[in-house]
Amino acid sequence: NAGVTQTPKFQVLKTGQSMTLQCAQDMNHEYMSWYRQDPGMGLRLIHYSVGAGITDQGEVPNGYNVSRSTTEDFPLRLLSAAPSQTSVYFCASGGRQNYGYTFGSGTRLTVV
Amino acid sequence: TQLLEQSPQFLSIQEGENLTVYCNSSSVFSSLQWYRQEPGEGPVLLVTVVTGGEVKKLKRLTFQFGDARKDSSLHITAAQPGDTGLYLCAGALPGTYKYIFGTGTRLKVLA
C-alpha cells in the first residue's frame, strides 16, 4: 500500500520557470490538499479538493494552480517560479471529513 | 485569519520526564488532530479528537480536546528518545474542508 506518493523529492528551478509537482494516492480518498512548510511558519494550505473536478483556494494560493481530473491525482503547478516559493511542499489526502490526513514525504523545492 | 498557537515552541527534556504541549485558538474547530513529523518526512497522524472534553490515550500519550473545542493538549508520560520530533496540531474549520496547522513544538528527549 503506497499511500500518498509525491514526485520529485528534490527540485531546483530558475526564477521564471514553471513546473508541476505530482501527487497520487491509492486509498480512494475524497479529500486532498497541498501545503507548504517553511521554517517557523508551520504548514500553510495552498489549495485543496473535495473530489474530482472540485478545487478551492487555501491560505496562500497565489502563484499556484491545481486541478483534480481523477480521484487519485492532484498535481500542483507553479506558473512562474519565484525565490519566495522555495519551500518544502506536502500533499495530503483524507477519506473522512474532520478526521485528518495522510501525508506524502514531501518535495523540497529551491528557486534560484 | 484563523490562528493556532502552540506552546512551547521548543522543549528539551531528559528521558523519563513528563511534558505537556498546548494548542490554543480563539476559533472553534469541528475536530483537532495531532501529528508527529520526523526530519525529511511528512507529518504522521497520531490522533483525532472530535467531541468537546474528549480524552484519548495512545500508550504514553494523552490527548485532550477543550470543552469549547478551541484548544487541545498533548501530555507525554515518561518521555523516551523515540518521542523526539516535531509535534503539530491541526484544526478542522467548521463547515469547510480546511485544516489549519499550528507552528509546531520541537521536542528533544535526551537519553
Side-chain angles (χ1 to χ4, degrees), chain B residues 47-69:
Chain B
V47 77
T48 294
V49 284
V50 179
T51 306
E54 182 176 2
V55 176
K56 281 192 174 179
K57 291 192 175 185
L58 185 65
K59 296 182 180 179
R60 295 175 293 100
L61 279 61
T62 301
F63 306 86
Q64 184 162 6
F65 202 10
D67 291 341
R69 291 188 289 133

Side-chain angles (χ1 to χ4, degrees), chain A residues 31 35 37 97-98 100-101, chain B residues 31 33 35 37 42 96-97 99:
Chain A
Y31 310 106
Y35 289 86
Q37 187 172 34
Q97 189 181 6
N98 296 329
Y101 276 141
Chain B
S31 68
Q33 290 79 39
Y35 295 81
Q37 186 178 19
T96 78
Y97 300 90
Y99 294 88

Side-chain angles (χ1 to χ4, degrees), chain A residues 31 33 35 37 40-43 45 48 50 56-59 90 96-106 108, chain B residues 1-2 30-33 35 37 40-43 45 48 50 86 88 92-93 95-103:
Chain A
Y31 310 106
S33 292
Y35 289 86
Q37 187 172 34
M41 301 194 72
L43 286 151
L45 181 63
Y48 66 101
V50 300
D56 205 348
Q57 296 181 348
E59 302 168 86
F90 289 100
R96 296 172 64 191
Q97 189 181 6
N98 296 329
Y99 278 83
Y101 276 141
T102 299
F103 278 82
S105 57
R108 185 174 294 274
Chain B
T1 301
Q2 290 83 4
S30 298
S31 68
L32 198 136
Q33 290 79 39
Y35 295 81
Q37 186 178 19
E41 298 293 329
L45 181 64
T48 294
V50 179
L86 178 66
L88 295 157
L93 299 177
T96 78
Y97 300 90
K98 297 181 182 181
Y99 294 88
I100 302 298
F101 277 78
T103 52

Side-chain angles (χ1 to χ4, degrees), chain A residues 4-26:
Chain A
V4 179
T5 302
Q6 290 185 238
T7 56
K9 287 194 178 298
F10 302 94
Q11 183 71 49
V12 179
L13 287 179
K14 293 183 179 179
T15 297
Q17 287 185 319
S18 62
M19 80 158 295
T20 300
L21 278 62
Q22 301 292 344
C23 175
Q25 53 96 3
D26 62 0

